[in-house]
């Protein structure tokens, strides 16, 4: 392991196509010159355009994996992907914060697959806010933000100071300005505009974006800088092929 590389950990599902989940995160980390670790929350049977089956990893196994890695290594950032419940997520977060309170955490709230398979539902709003208070950034799209916070799109300013974490609202499903992301910080909203690159739809693009943000944070970039640079990275990925699986590269 390179002594001068920071470490980022992906806690996410296994996608055998490599387009999303831990495999995609590891590719993204490597391209950002970050050492990537991984813990599986689930194993899946899927391709880039079809989701067939999922087997969730027992929570106690995940927790023991988290404890083992954090007790041995200094992990700068964690990117979390699919989880079956808020309770499952909350236990992971509490374990991380107990061992390493300074580790930054990015959660990509994958609530449904691109083929509309539902991974988790939000039932307890108080539990949601308690969970989000342990996270540094969430990266929902326009569909996911409305599941997390019904009415958010219409009343963004009202919600901004009530949600206990930062939000990068991805613009892939933007109703009028496709590709414009909005970064909601405590006292500021920053629009991240798309470039003129031609972008093709990709399986796992949200997963890769959040992993790129986590990698940039591990390299001591500010949250705004990490999100801007991750947007550049994902646009290159979306432009790399006309198919649902792209090529990873920074330059």
């Amino acid at each position: 392991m390179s002594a001068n590389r920071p470490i980022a950990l992906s806690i996410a599902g296994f996608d055998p196509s490599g387009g999303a989940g831990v495999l995609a995160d590891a590719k993204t980390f490597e391209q950002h010159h970050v050492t990537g670790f991984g813990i599986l929350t689930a194993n899946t049977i899927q391709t880039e355009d079809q989701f067939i089956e999922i087997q969730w990893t027992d929570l106690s196994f995940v927790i023991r994996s988290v404890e083992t890695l954090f007790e041995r290594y200094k992990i700068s950032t964690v990117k979390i992907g699919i989880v079956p419940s808020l309770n499952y997520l909350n236990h992971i977060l509490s374990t991380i914060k107990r061992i390493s309170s300074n580790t930054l955490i990015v959660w990509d709230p994958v609530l449904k697959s691109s083929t509309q398979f539902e991974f988790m539902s939000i039932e307890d709003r108080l539990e949601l806010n308690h969970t989000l208070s342990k996270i540094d950034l969430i990266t929902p799209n326009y569909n996911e933000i409305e599941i997390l916070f019904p009415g958010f799109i219409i009343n963004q300013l009202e919600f901004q100071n009530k949600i206990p974490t930062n939000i990068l609202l991805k613009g892939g499903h933007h109703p009028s300005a496709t590709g414009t992301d909005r970064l909601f910080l405590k006292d500021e909203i920053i629009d991240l505009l798309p470039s003129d690159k031609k972008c093709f739809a990709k399986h796992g693009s949200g997963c890769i974006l959040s992993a790129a943000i986590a990698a940039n944070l591990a390299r001591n970039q500010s949250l705004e800088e990490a999100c801007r640079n991750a947007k550049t990275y994902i646009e290159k990925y979306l432009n790399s092929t006309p198919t649902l699986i792209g090529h990873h590269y920074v330059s």
Side-chain angles (χ1 to χ4, degrees):
M1 184 184 305
S2 175
N4 60 0
R5 279 194 175 194
I7 298 173
L9 168 64
S10 168
I11 304 177
F14 177 77
D15 170 8
S17 79
V22 167
L23 285 179
D25 291 349
K27 296 173 189 177
T28 304
F29 292 157
E30 184 64 25
Q31 289 295 327
H32 286 79
H33 306 290
V34 170
T35 295
F37 289 174
I39 295 173
L40 300 187
T41 55
N43 201 357
T44 71
I45 301 174
Q46 64 176 304
T47 64
E48 75 275 17
D49 59 0
Q50 185 180 20
F51 194 95
I52 299 169
E53 189 175 343
I54 189 167
Q55 289 185 344
W56 294 105
T57 305
D58 184 79
L59 177 59
S60 65
F61 190 90
V62 173
I63 295 301
R64 293 199 305 276
S65 298
V66 170
E67 290 172 337
T68 298
L69 290 180
F70 271 91
E71 288 167 2
R72 173 65 177 83
Y73 304 101
K74 180 182 178 181
I75 298 173
S76 300
T77 59
V78 175
K79 174 269 172 85
I80 300 176
I82 58 168
V83 290
S85 68
L86 284 176
N87 180 64
Y88 191 105
L89 174 60
N90 196 38
H91 275 84
I92 293 172
L93 295 169
S94 295
T95 302
I96 295 169
K97 290 302 183 183
R98 171 173 55 83
I99 303 173
S100 179
S101 60
N102 293 326
T103 295
L104 299 176
I105 301 173
V106 177
W107 179 39
D108 183 30
V110 184
L111 308 179
K112 291 183 179 181
S113 72
S114 56
T115 55
Q116 300 306 304
F117 181 94
E118 185 174 293
F119 295 118
M120 69 177 292
S121 59
I122 306 298
E123 298 174 352
D124 189 332
R125 297 291 158 182
L126 289 178
E127 183 184 11
L128 174 61
N129 281 340
H130 176 65
T131 301
L132 293 179
S133 68
K134 303 174 185 179
I135 297 171
D136 296 281
L137 178 72
I138 61 173
T139 59
N141 61 32
Y142 273 73
N143 297 328
E144 291 159 346
I145 197 71
E146 280 295 310
I147 296 174
L148 292 170
F149 307 106
F152 182 93
I153 294 175
I154 296 175
N155 301 301
Q156 295 180 12
L157 294 178
E158 178 183 335
F159 276 93
Q160 183 184 6
N161 294 320
K162 294 181 180 179
I163 299 173
T165 188
N166 300 298
I167 302 169
L168 179 67
L169 181 55
K170 297 177 294 194
H173 297 86
H174 194 296
S176 59
T178 302
T180 297
D181 302 340
R182 302 201 87 186
L183 179 60
F184 293 83
L185 305 176
K186 280 189 176 181
D187 301 311
E188 188 177 11
I189 300 175
I190 302 168
D191 283 346
L192 306 180
L193 303 178
S195 71
D196 58 0
K197 282 185 179 295
K198 182 174 179 60
C199 292
F200 302 94
K202 290 285 182 292
H203 166 58
S205 57
C207 168
I208 294 166
L209 175 66
S210 59
I213 294 170
N216 290 331
L217 290 173
R219 295 175 61 85
N220 294 319
Q221 295 179 15
S222 69
L223 188 53
E224 179 183 349
E225 186 181 14
C227 290
R228 286 190 184 278
N229 289 336
K231 186 172 183 64
T232 299
Y233 182 84
I234 195 62
E235 286 185 342
K236 290 178 180 178
Y237 181 78
L238 296 174
N239 175 258
S240 64
T241 71
T243 66
L244 289 174
I245 299 289
H247 299 153
H248 287 260
Y249 55 88
V250 173
S251 57

